[in-house]
Amino acid sequence: MTAIMGIVNVTPDSFSDGGRFLDADAAIARGLALRADGATIVDVGGESTRPGAERVDPAIERERVLPVVAALAAEGVIVSIDTMNAATAVAAVEAGARIVNDVSGGLADPGMLAAVAATGADIVLQHWRGPSSDMYAAADYRDVERELIAELQQRVRAAAQAGISPDRVILDPGIGFGKRGGQNWHALRALDRIVALGPRVLVGTSRKRFLAEALVEARAGEGGDLAAVDAAPVDDARRDLATAVTSVLAAQAGAWAVRVHDAASTRDALTVLDRWEHA
């Protein structure tokens, strides 16, 4: 069955749960709760990558995440470190992380790929076209699916040149990163072709704006006022349901794992899919 990667944001400003788990004890408890709810991997991040977010000093990032990584790893949790900084990635692996989840695909820090190669950890290479502070500046595509696949292939080649074999690589189409609205749906429709590239594939749609936009459009009618997403935000319960549906569709397309805030609803959805396929 497709694995579930649970999200722990040890940040004051992440878009969904910023500040709730900034305290290390709260973050550790959250990670353990995610495992109890069905997450087989817990992704710990100390720097928000929401649209408009500014970079965090790597030393502050490490202060936030390393105690959480070490405590969860000591409890037997498979930990992923969500970072764009090579020094943080190395320190987190030394503290017990087994996966480095770099939303920039190794582009933000030129030393990332070589650093991860030396650790022996696996790495998530996400499709990325620029920093969160100006995330949509490069959201200009002639063919979203073709360009996305070509750019992910470039990251696989870069990883190989740095000494990371394809079996250690996990690809992520970067839903919401440098993609507006409908461009995200095109990226998701390319999942079967991304899976066909060979490396494992991680999909992260959890609670993202494009899901809320789809729900608002469905209620308001095609061409509805998407300002309603901000004026009357779609709550987390509805976003989690939409996330669970995309998790099932991603699993059917061959995704290795899905990254979510609410592990329980996605676990239930994937369990139903498993029964459907293997009854």
Side-chain angles (χ1 to χ4, degrees), residues 9 19 35 79 93 105 107 119 121 123 128 133 137 156 167 175 188 231 251 257:
N9 292 314
R35 180 174 67 172
V79 179
V93 172
L107 292 168
T119 68
I123 185 167
W128 189 76
S133 58
V156 174
D167 64 305
I175 303 302
L188 289 172

Side-chain angles (χ1 to χ4, degrees), residues 15-17 20 30 205-209 211-212 236-237 239-240 243 261-262:
F15 82 94
S16 180
D17 53 10
R20 290 181 61 197
R30 177 59 178 164
T205 63
S206 190
R207 297 180 180 172
K208 292 191 174 178
R209 181 183 174 89
L211 294 177
D236 284 350
R239 291 186 188 227
D240 286 337
T243 299
H261 294 85
D262 180 46

Side-chain angles (χ1 to χ4, degrees), residues 37-204:
D37 283 343
T40 52
I41 306 160
V42 174
D43 192 43
V44 178
E47 177 178 6
S48 174
T49 53
R50 63 175 174 76
E54 298 292 338
R55 298 301 308 272
V56 170
D57 185 290
I60 294 174
E61 179 190 32
R62 290 192 290 276
E63 287 177 7
R64 292 173 178 175
V65 300
L66 293 181
V68 180
V69 170
L72 291 175
E75 292 289 336
V77 176
I78 298 173
V79 179
S80 167
I81 178 66
D82 178 359
T83 183
M84 293 183 282
N85 294 302
T88 300
V90 171
V93 172
E94 290 173 348
R98 292 162 58 179
I99 302 170
V100 175
N101 180 12
D102 183 353
V103 301
S104 79
L107 292 168
D109 184 338
M112 177 64 86
L113 296 181
V116 174
T119 68
D122 291 352
I123 185 167
V124 178
L125 299 174
Q126 184 187 275
H127 180 258
W128 189 76
R129 281 194 166 185
S132 296
S133 58
D134 197 12
M135 183 176 288
Y136 302 116
D140 183 18
Y141 301 84
R142 296 187 62 159
D143 185 326
V144 174
E145 298 174 31
R146 180 181 59 79
E147 293 173 51
L148 169 61
I149 290 168
E151 289 166 30
L152 286 174
Q153 288 176 310
Q154 290 173 357
R155 303 320 303 149
V156 174
R157 288 193 292 271
Q161 290 169 358
I164 304 173
S165 60
D167 64 305
R168 289 172 54 195
V169 169
I170 301 157
L171 297 178
D172 184 333
I175 303 302
F177 287 80
K179 300 170 189 67
R180 294 189 180 92
Q183 293 171 337
N184 293 292
W185 296 109
H186 283 285
L188 289 172
R189 288 299 297 267
L191 272 180
D192 56 346
R193 283 179 282 163
I194 297 171
V195 169
L197 296 177
R200 291 162 290 169
V201 175
L202 171 68
V203 178

Side-chain angles (χ1 to χ4, degrees), residues 226-247:
L226 295 184
V229 176
D230 298 318
V234 177
D235 64 27
D236 284 350
R238 291 179 64 201
R239 291 186 188 227
D240 286 337
L241 176 58
T243 299
V245 174
T246 60
S247 295

